[in-house]
Each structure stands twice: as C-alpha cells, then as structure tokens.
Amino acid sequence: MKAFQAQSVEHAYIHIPFCRHLCTYCDFCVLPCSDILQTRTSKNAKFIGPYLQALQHEITAVALNWRKQRSDLLKPLKSLYFGGGTPGILQTEELATLISLCREQFGLTDTCELTLELNPCNYQHLDLKYLHKLGLNRVSLGLQTSNLQLLKFLEREHRAEDAVAAVDYIRAAGIDNISLDLIVALPGQDMAAVAADLAFVLNLKPQHVSVYSLILEAGSKLYQLYARSACCQTRTSGADSSVIKALPSLPDEDTEREMVHYVQNALCQSGFRHYEISNFALTADFESRHNTAVWAARPYFGFGLSAGSYLAGVRRTNTKQIKHYIDAWNVLPSNSADLSEKELYRTAILTEKNTQTEAMEDYFAFALRYLCGVKISDFEKYFACAVPARIKEILDWGCGQNLLQTNEQKSIYYVTEKGQDYLDEISRRLLGCLQEN
C-alpha cells in the first residue's frame, strides 16, 4: 500500500436528503417533504423512516468491516458533519440515534467537531441542549441573504428576523460555534445589498462565515428559468417576453468579483481570518475541520444518499436513487465484517481509484485553496517521495504570474490575492500534468 493510501480515517459526513421545500438555486440531492414536521404522510416523507434505518445499517457495516479489515487506519472521529438537504429538519431522537451510533461504532474524540446544518426557520422542534450534551458543538446556518425580496426570489422559507432568533436559540443551548452561509452575485443584487447583508452577518457575531458566489447549477430551478429566458430572447412571443422581464439580471463577472472582494476585505477588517478561498474564521479553532480535511486530501467516510467518500486512495459517490439505497441497506448483513469492497460499497455509483500520480496532482489542486500555504514537507510525508519536477514547474509558473508566492527555500507555496481569482486556472494546469506526453 502506498503512503498516501495508508492515512488514518478520522472524519465522516452523513447526508440527510430531506427538506421542507426546494430552493430555486439548489441542485443537491434533496427530496422535498412539506409535511416532514407534521404528519409525514406525503410520498417523499414516507421514505424517512426506511432511509434512516438503511443509513444506520450502512454506517454499522462499514465500521464493523474497517475494525476487522483495517483497524490500524481507523481512529476516533475528529469531525462528524451532518449535511443535506436539511439535517436539522429531523427530530431530536433521530439525530441523537445517529450521533450515538457513530460514537459507538467509530468513537468520537473529546474535541470532535460535530456540525449540524440548520435552516433559520426550522429549529424550534429540536432539543439542541440535549444534542449538545451528546456532542453537537457546531451549527452551520443557511442564511444566504437577509434581503426579503431576494429571499422570496430564491424561495427561501425564512426571513432575516428568523435568523436572529435562530442564533439566539443556538447560543442558549450552549453551542458557541456558529457558521453562517452567505451568497453574493444574486439576481438583481447590487453593492448596497451586499453591504447590508454583510452588516447583518457581522451583527450576529458568528465564529465562521462561508461566502459563495451564486452559480446557476444545471439541475436547479433557477438555471432552468434563466436558460428559458436566454432562449426566449431569440423569439417574439409576448408570453416569452414577459418571462424575460420577470427575471432580474445577473451581476456580470466584474461586478461579481467586486462583491466578493468587498466581502473578503470587510470580513478581514472585522477580525476574521481568511483561511480558505470561500471561508473565514475568527480564530484557527473555528476553522471547519471537516472541510479542511477534504482540502488536505485526508480520508473521510461518506454515508447516505449521494455522499462522497475518500478511503485508501479511492473516491466513491453513493447513488442518488433513494429506493436503490434503501433496498440495498434494508437489512444489516450478518457478515458485515467480512464483506468484499464491492458488497460493502454496494450503493456506490462512481468509483475512482487514484494512482499515486493522480493523487499527487489532486493534492496541490485542492490544498492550495487553504490560504496558509502548502508545505513541500507535508507533500513529501504524505507521498513518501519528492515533489515531481512537472508540478514544481507549474508552481514556479504560478509564482512568475503573481498567482502564487513562495519563500527563498521554496519550501511552502501560497495563493496570492490575485491568484484567488485564478485558482481554477492553476488547478487546471495541475490536474493531468503528470500524465501528459
């Protein structure tokens, strides 16, 4: 086994694919269930119970198998992340069962970062104090914007005042690590609206902020609306014209960059550390451990519908078909500890076995997102070999373009402020560079 394949697994992600409502920009693996907090009698809500049981079976089977087959690589979890969908839409007992199962099967370190994603208007049903006692110590709140008009356009269910109340509720439960998500470059948004959103965020005094530019993902309702609008521009129908008029314009690329830079500078001036391209933390202790592990190419378990994992140099993605997932894990195999890889990862629809060459390319392509820099010594320890000459050439090219910077010894490489806008170009050059003829 290569050195990069023999990294201990200390992180896990659990996907909860249910939401009360599907937002217009969302293309995640989500099943809308408007009655999830009430009767749970709708078509999608009827999947919740069987899904959670299947999820527990997958977690248990993987844990039993790893304890027997690769116990030397299995360590207590340093991070456990509940994402979605909206995992906070589950009942307290359902979340408690999953947390307790992970503690039982994998173990959680005393300082394990246990994150739960919440929407600002669906949390009152949760006993956060109880979940906090079980280990929940970080909440990621999906604010996105505080602007009422934009919230309505995105079909978000909450309002700005709901976010204020949610933060108070979370803190009252004893959870003092709160992350807020913010989206910029929204349709019809101007700089004044971005400034107002940022002021609102800072007033909530979060410990962490994630800032993303809107991307029209192909599977989202918003993408379909704007694609239809673009198509309509070549037609003369009055009905089509009304569609065009109804859609606010998207900020152009220069405006989008201006918005991003404004938020970055303002957050840094307010005491936040810009530690990753899209992420800011008050101190190093509040940096997202789960995301940092992904950027640093550390292994992690991924459980549930569409969840990704990276284990022993193999990337897998689970099915998005809930019936397939439930049928595959409706029973916990009695021989879970002895299952073959094919049987253990029975719901994986994408499997990519990284060669050492591919893993080397990926390492810098991902790790450069982490703005504290990439140490050559870390690479050499991870792969038990020197950095290939072709990768060094690209890193030096980046330095020559003022996209990267290094020290005199060339022992560490950082992305510059300019380079943050061109990181995709750097990654494009890195990926596949060792396989070129």
Side-chain angles (χ1 to χ4, degrees), residues 340-386:
S340 67
E341 284 200 356
K342 182 177 180 180
E343 294 172 316
L344 186 63
Y345 305 112
R346 60 185 64 189
T347 53
I349 57 171
L350 179 63
T351 300
E352 298 176 332
K353 296 183 179 181
N354 271 11
T355 64
Q356 173 135 328
T357 293
E358 292 167 335
M360 286 179 173
E361 297 166 350
D362 288 352
Y363 186 89
F364 275 102
F366 283 102
L368 284 171
R369 296 183 61 91
Y370 201 51
L371 301 184
C372 69
V374 184
K375 295 180 180 178
I376 297 300
S377 59
D378 287 346
F379 177 97
E380 293 173 342
K381 180 180 179 180
Y382 190 86
F383 291 103
C385 68

Side-chain angles (χ1 to χ4, degrees), residues 2 12 51 58 86 115 124 177 180 204 225 245 247 260 269 280 283 302 320 332 338 358 374 376 386 388:
K2 299 285 188 180
Y51 176 79
E58 183 191 17
T86 310
T115 302
Q124 296 94 333
N177 188 352
L180 297 179
L204 292 177
L225 286 172
K245 292 177 182 178
L247 292 177
V260 169
Q269 290 171 10
F280 303 78
T283 69
K320 291 184 177 182
L332 177 65
D338 299 309
E358 292 167 335
V374 184
I376 297 300

Side-chain angles (χ1 to χ4, degrees), residues 131-203:
L131 293 175
H132 181 46
K133 289 180 181 177
L134 292 181
L136 177 64
N137 53 22
R138 184 174 186 268
V139 169
S140 178
L141 199 64
L143 172 66
Q144 318 311 355
T145 177
S146 62
N147 184 286
L148 180 58
Q149 184 176 352
L150 289 174
L151 286 168
K152 288 181 177 179
F153 183 76
L154 298 176
E155 296 186 16
R156 297 289 291 169
E157 292 188 299
H158 73 273
R159 300 296 179 261
E161 55 268 27
D162 296 324
V164 176
V167 167
D168 289 342
Y169 190 82
I170 295 164
R171 290 203 171 109
I175 300 170
D176 59 1
N177 188 352
I178 299 175
S179 177
L180 297 179
D181 286 349
L182 186 65
I183 302 179
V184 299
L186 293 168
Q189 191 178 43
D190 57 20
M191 286 299 299
V194 172
D197 274 351
L198 185 59
F200 182 84
V201 165
L202 293 174
N203 191 54

Side-chain angles (χ1 to χ4, degrees), residues 113 138-140 177-184 194 198 201-202 205-213 257-289 291-292 295 369-371 417 420-421:
E113 177 190 85
R138 184 174 186 268
V139 169
S140 178
N177 188 352
I178 299 175
S179 177
L180 297 179
D181 286 349
L182 186 65
I183 302 179
V184 299
V194 172
L198 185 59
V201 165
L202 293 174
K205 295 181 170 54
Q207 286 66 46
H208 186 279
V209 180
S210 297
V211 183
Y212 306 103
S213 295
R257 287 291 87 194
E258 183 183 0
M259 290 175 171
V260 169
H261 294 160
Y262 170 81
V263 173
Q264 289 176 344
N265 293 334
L267 284 171
C268 291
Q269 290 171 10
S270 299
F272 283 85
R273 300 171 66 256
H274 188 187
Y275 73 97
E276 192 270 344
I277 293 295
S278 301
N279 289 277
F280 303 78
L282 281 179
T283 69
D285 290 338
F286 293 119
E287 294 178 7
S288 171
R289 290 187 198 170
N291 290 337
T292 299
W295 303 322
R369 296 183 61 91
Y370 201 51
L371 301 184
E417 186 173 343
Q420 292 175 34
D421 291 339

Side-chain angles (χ1 to χ4, degrees), residues 56 82 90-103 114 126-127 130-131 134:
Q56 292 173 58
F82 287 87
L90 295 181
Q91 293 298 315
T92 300
E93 296 76 13
E94 293 167 333
L95 288 167
T97 297
L98 292 171
I99 293 172
S100 298
L101 179 64
C102 288
R103 185 182 295 278
L114 205 166
L126 289 176
D127 186 346
Y130 175 63
L131 293 175
L134 292 181

